[in-house]
Each structure stands twice: as structure tokens, then as C-alpha cells.
Amino acid sequence: MKFVVLTIFPEMFASFWEYGIIRKAIETEKILASTLNIRDFAEDRHQVTDDRPYGGGSGMVMKPEPLAAAIRAAEQKAPSAPKILLTPQGRGFNQKIAHELAAFEELVFVCGRYEGVDDRIDHDLIDDEISIGDYVLTGGELAAMVIIDAVTRQIPGTLGGEDAAEKDSFADGLLEHAHYTRPHVFEGKAVPDILLSGHHEKIDNWRLESALMRTLMKRADLLQKKDLGAKEIRILKKWSRRIEDILKSYHRAHGERREGTEKKS
Ligand code: 6GU
């Protein structure tokens, strides 16, 4: 995967390329990363990339000529790449889009700054617009890093275990199960026995139950949307029966007044 990033702050990426999985992916040539400084494409003596907005108002606008020239230079470096503008007005980034972008061989990211880019930088020059959430950043650089990070870990061979990305939160519509490492007991809390049993099927079942539980507690909206499998339905029904039993005992002990379940006699 080749990433080309257009920015007026290429230095922001210097340390990003240098750590962890991203660094390793560059070293093993799973990804190729470069930046183009938009300022280098400004023709004037002071290499200005912004200007005051027509119609007045506060804030500055990114000038079209340097940006267009930079995008055309990026096209030379990555001819097959979709050119993606990072903007809060773009479609909302998520794991599905990360997966979708990982299928390309090249990606170009255009980082806007100031109040926005001149609107004539449009369909001829930009193929896609992405936002990383409903809040406003001072520029697209952090968003580009977020997306590059999420896309890189989708590329086979970039993570430790070969299938680690498939087990991710969201990959199957569930949050990930709980994880534990040594020590066996930490501040009085022991690791669940099953995980030490060496019984792989039981461990898998425990992990599925843990993933379902976490998703129910933290992100019930994901469960509502999910295409549940037979095992998952069995687990949810088991919990449902347990909750029913607890409520039944409670009502028996306290009389069945609340919850509108008064007995007819
Ligand atoms: Cl992609 N850019 C900016 N400037 N702000 C954002 C964003 C992008 N996504 C969320 N907020």
C-alpha cells in the first residue's frame, strides 16, 4: 500500500511513521509512506497557501492553485489512488471504510487547514471526502493519521498474529472479549480459570460470551444491528432466562405488586 499525504505540515507525520506497527509496516515494505508539502506548490515568493474569504468573515481559506498543483503531483506518484479530502463534512469513518480503503494499492490524502479549502477543489480533483467524527479539528492531518493507522492494520502481515485484524472489535459486529496476561493474580483479582485450562473450545466459548457481554453492556446498539449466529442466540437466551429467574424470585419474595403483574384471583 502506498500512502501519499498532502499537507502544509509534513513534519507532523515524521514521528507518526516512526513507531510501532506503522514503522514495522514501512520497514517490511507492506506500506510506503510519503508527504508532499502543499507550500512547495505555491508559485509566489512567500509561498502563501491561504487567503481571506470572498464575502468577508473571519478565518482563512486554502487557496486553490497550490492545492490543485499538489494534487496533480500526487497523481503522478500514485496514479491509481482515490484522492481523499479530510473534512468534517465527509462521510463518517468506520471499520467498514477502513476495510474498503485497504483494498486499494494506493491512497492520496488531502489535508485541509484553516476554515476550509476553496470550493473549486471539487469532483475533478477529489474522489472521496471523509470525516473522523462530529467535531472540528484544526486540520485534516490527525484525521489522515487515524485513517492510515486503521487501514495499515488491515493489511495482511502488519499485525502480530496473521488473523489479528479479523478478531478486532467491530470486525464481526461485536466488541472484543476481555484479555488477560501475567501475573495470574493482580491486586487480588485472578485470571478466569478457563483461560488457564488449555481447553480451546471452552476458551473460544468463554471469549464469545465475554464479547457478547461487553457489547451488550457498552454498545447495545451494535447488538441490535448484528446478524446473530445460533451460538450467540443461545447465550443471549441463557442470560435472558437467568434474568427472568432472578426477577421471578424477587417478585415471589416481595409480592407481585410492581411491574403490573398483579395476580388475578
Ligand atoms: Cl477529516 N478534518 C477536520 N478539520 N476536522 C475534522 C475531521 C476532519 N473529522 C472530524 N473533524
Side-chain angles (χ1 to χ4, degrees):
M1 168 72 74
K2 181 191 279 183
F3 297 118
V4 180
V5 182
L6 309 189
T7 168
I8 59 165
F9 296 133
E11 298 85 357
M12 282 181 75
F13 289 83
S15 66
F16 176 61
W17 308 132
E18 271 183 40
Y19 294 93
I21 300 283
I22 301 292
R23 183 195 182 118
K24 194 76 181 289
I26 291 169
E27 282 171 357
T28 58
E29 298 179 345
K30 299 280 191 296
I31 68 171
L32 223 142
S34 63
T35 52
L36 282 178
N37 192 338
I38 296 163
R39 195 171 296 280
D40 292 343
F41 296 87
E43 299 271 3
D44 64 299
R45 204 158 58 83
H46 296 290
Q47 300 199 291
V48 173
T49 56
D50 63 333
D51 203 345
R52 295 180 357 252
Y54 273 116
S58 62
M60 298 293 269
V61 177
M62 206 156 200
K63 286 169 67 63
E65 312 96 306
L67 194 51
I71 293 169
R72 293 197 172 106
E75 279 173 347
Q76 298 297 309
K77 288 181 71 137
S80 78
K83 286 148 284 173
I84 302 165
L85 177 67
L86 288 321
T87 162
Q89 299 188 8
R91 59 188 178 128
F93 188 63
N94 58 29
Q95 194 64 17
K96 184 160 169 276
I97 296 177
H99 195 254
E100 185 184 306
L101 295 181
F104 287 96
E105 286 185 3
E106 307 174 320
L107 294 171
V108 169
F109 294 97
V110 180
C111 303
R113 276 269 150 187
Y114 318 118
E115 291 306 296
V117 307
D118 186 291
D119 210 57
R120 291 165 292 182
I121 299 294
D122 58 11
H123 307 301
D124 306 336
L125 289 161
I126 294 296
D127 301 300
D128 197 356
E129 296 188 347
I130 296 181
S131 162
I132 61 163
D134 290 342
Y135 41 81
V136 182
L137 304 171
T138 57
E141 285 79 5
L142 288 171
M145 289 183 217
V146 165
I147 295 168
I148 289 168
D149 190 285
V151 169
T152 296
R153 58 194 303 301
Q154 290 297 306
I155 298 168
T158 56
L159 301 181
E162 198 49 43
D163 61 347
E166 275 117 68
K167 289 190 178 165
D168 278 346
S169 290
F170 304 113
D172 60 359
L174 293 177
L175 301 182
E176 260 199 289
H177 58 75
H179 295 82
Y180 299 90
T181 187
R182 290 185 293 183
H184 178 213
V185 179
F186 170 69
E187 296 188 351
K189 290 176 272 197
V191 174
D193 288 334
I194 286 199
L195 299 179
L196 305 157
S197 70
H199 195 305
H200 296 298
E201 195 188 325
K202 282 186 180 168
I203 291 171
D204 284 349
N205 289 336
W206 182 91
R207 285 182 169 161
L208 176 59
E209 192 154 344
S210 168
L212 266 176
M213 176 67 78
R214 289 176 150 215
T215 311
L216 177 65
M217 291 304 169
K218 299 181 190 192
R219 290 294 304 274
D221 61 302
L222 293 177
L223 271 191
Q224 205 99 44
K225 280 187 285 188
K226 184 175 158 50
D227 213 356
L228 296 166
K231 266 189 173 176
E232 292 157 344
I233 289 171
R234 218 175 307 132
I235 293 167
L236 290 173
K237 284 188 173 165
K238 181 179 81 180
W239 294 344
S240 175
R241 281 194 304 272
R242 267 191 213 163
I243 293 167
E244 287 298 323
D245 287 347
I246 291 165
L247 290 173
K248 270 186 211 151
S249 328
Y250 177 83
H251 286 310
R252 261 196 298 274
H254 293 79
E256 306 201 10
R257 258 157 289 132
R258 274 169 274 246
E259 310 245 342
T261 54
E262 264 163 322
K263 249 191 260 170
K264 289 176 204 138
S265 61

